[in-house]
Amino acid sequence: MSVITIERKVLEKNDEVARQNREFFRRQRILVLNIVSSPGAGKTSILECALEELAGSLKVGVIEGDVQTDLDARRVERYQVPVVQIVTNGGCHLEAKLVQDAVGRMDLEGLELLIIENVGNLVCPANFDLGEAMKIVVVSTTEGDDKPLKYPEMFRRASVLIINKIDLAPYLSSDPAALRRNALRINPGLRVFETSCTTRAGIAELCTWLNSVTGYYCTNLNLPTSTSESD
Amino acid sequence: MSVITIERKVLEKNDEVARQNREFFRRQRILVLNIVSSPGAGKTSILECALEELAGSLKVGVIEGDVQTDLDARRVERYQVPVVQIVTNGGCHLEAKLVQDAVGRMDLEGLELLIIENVGNLVCPANFDLGEAMKIVVVSTTEGDDKPLKYPEMFRRASVLIINKIDLAPYLSSDPAALRRNALRINPGLRVFETSCTTRAGIAELCTWLNSVTGYYCTNLNLPTSTSESD
């Protein structure tokens, strides 16, 4: 029983720091997205495609979260954007305090969009608010179409679903349309994109949306609404 | 600081129940395998292939662990084996006590091999001993070849690596040979299989090994060694 109490305290403390982060990002007029997925769904590849596509139109920063290594930060920094790597050393999710510390080490000058790539884990990061405006959940076609039903919390808390590796669909028995249906059964409000980082299918559409939602967010911050509903 | 203490207590309590489980399985002469992976790496599909291949030669039981749904247990029970579904209701890993309870509800008569399919999560299940003789980690080729470096703990604690979806390798930029090298860098003792549940490549080889390791285990239980080193 005491464990449950401690867990609640950890979450409450995290939520308080997340609130501070959200207020800080609002004042800085930075839209913050928290990208979550299983390991290997393609978060970093999508990010690389987006950074290439958005270069010149949007000032983007990146926080990379990984259990070990700075491999992802090294991939991202080739796109000449500010990037900070958080290594959790075994930790299964990012927490608001880690993000707060990472932001403190980042050059925020002119930044419009901050993308946080969470640890690859479809379970634990669902419970830890980082102060983001919204969560984007990535699922690859190769993971099978039942994942939204088996890991519903993440899909419930996300605003956007990216179905990635759509180019591999012809070689699979799983069905991207069924994946989409299962996700919308869990959360009918999900905005869905289908992408491939190999063929670049869907990347332009995703980036058009990123551009418009960032613009919208930065010009409507004086609205008295929750920032998590700003899209 | 108190959180860390509580976490240690949770792990110590789990380890104690895991020891009870291991002793119970030893007395029952049942080899227990704990299969772990990211969501969608193909644990259940491999299990289905193996159950079909092993039918008649080995008496197998299955414990399915999922965050939600009994979809996997329903897939497995078509193979006429005893199966118990554990739904963790948001929990990110199985614990020894859940396995103990599940085993209490299973017909163990004549059982030689018990396969526990853990929650799809490449991080948290690494820390929770269930009383198994060994862990088998599954990674699909589609997840990229850097996963052993980014999630090393699971590879360190596993005895066997299955590289699955090997049929998709020609369509990917990632390299199964690099994945194998990275895994062996983390844990040089890993026994590696490559499989495809679509073409059934590697399934016969995997099942030959399962048969022999189960036979070896069941006839060598009087050896005064740790059961986790029984292969």
Side-chain angles (χ1 to χ4, degrees), chain A residues 28-161:
Chain A
Q28 295 280 329
R29 299 184 165 260
I30 300 172
L31 175 67
V32 181
L33 306 178
N34 176 5
I35 308 198
V36 292
S37 80
S38 307
K43 295 185 297 301
T44 316
S45 296
I46 292 171
L47 194 48
E48 289 179 296
C49 289
L51 289 174
E52 201 177 323
E53 186 90 10
L54 294 170
S57 68
L58 213 54
K59 183 85 190 296
V60 188
V62 175
I63 293 175
E64 284 291 343
D66 277 294
V67 174
Q68 282 300 346
T69 80
D70 63 350
L71 293 172
D72 287 353
R74 282 195 269 153
R75 282 169 65 181
V76 164
E77 72 185 359
R78 292 180 303 173
Y79 297 86
Q80 274 81 49
V81 296
V83 55
V84 175
Q85 175 79 52
I86 300 173
V87 175
T88 66
N89 259 318
C92 56
H93 58 271
L94 292 182
E95 296 186 13
K97 185 69 176 70
L98 292 170
V99 168
Q100 195 170 57
D101 293 347
V103 166
R105 291 194 285 134
M106 181 175 270
D107 177 12
L108 302 176
E109 182 63 35
L111 214 64
E112 296 163 290
L113 175 63
L114 174 62
I115 300 179
I116 304 170
E117 184 181 336
N118 217 311
V119 173
N121 183 335
L122 210 48
V123 187
C124 313
N127 297 319
F128 288 82
D129 184 8
L130 306 179
E132 72 271 11
M134 61 185 109
K135 283 186 178 65
I136 297 181
V137 59
V138 181
V139 182
S140 69
T141 55
T142 58
E143 293 172 58
D145 42 49
D146 58 353
K147 292 304 159 294
L149 307 178
K150 291 169 77 177
Y151 303 87
E153 197 56 24
M154 196 63 99
F155 292 82
R156 222 169 260 138
R157 299 199 182 218
S159 306
V160 176
L161 163 65

Side-chain angles (χ1 to χ4, degrees), chain B residues 140-185:
Chain B
S140 69
T141 56
T142 59
E143 292 172 58
D145 43 48
D146 59 353
K147 292 304 159 291
L149 306 178
K150 292 169 77 178
Y151 303 87
E153 196 55 25
M154 195 65 95
F155 292 83
R156 222 169 262 138
R157 299 200 182 216
S159 307
V160 176
L161 162 66
I162 299 178
I163 302 178
N164 193 34
K165 306 190 190 180
I166 200 76
D167 56 302
L168 295 176
Y171 312 112
L172 305 171
S173 56
S174 66
D175 177 10
L179 200 166
R180 178 191 287 253
R181 273 198 307 277
N182 286 335
L184 292 172
R185 264 176 68 187

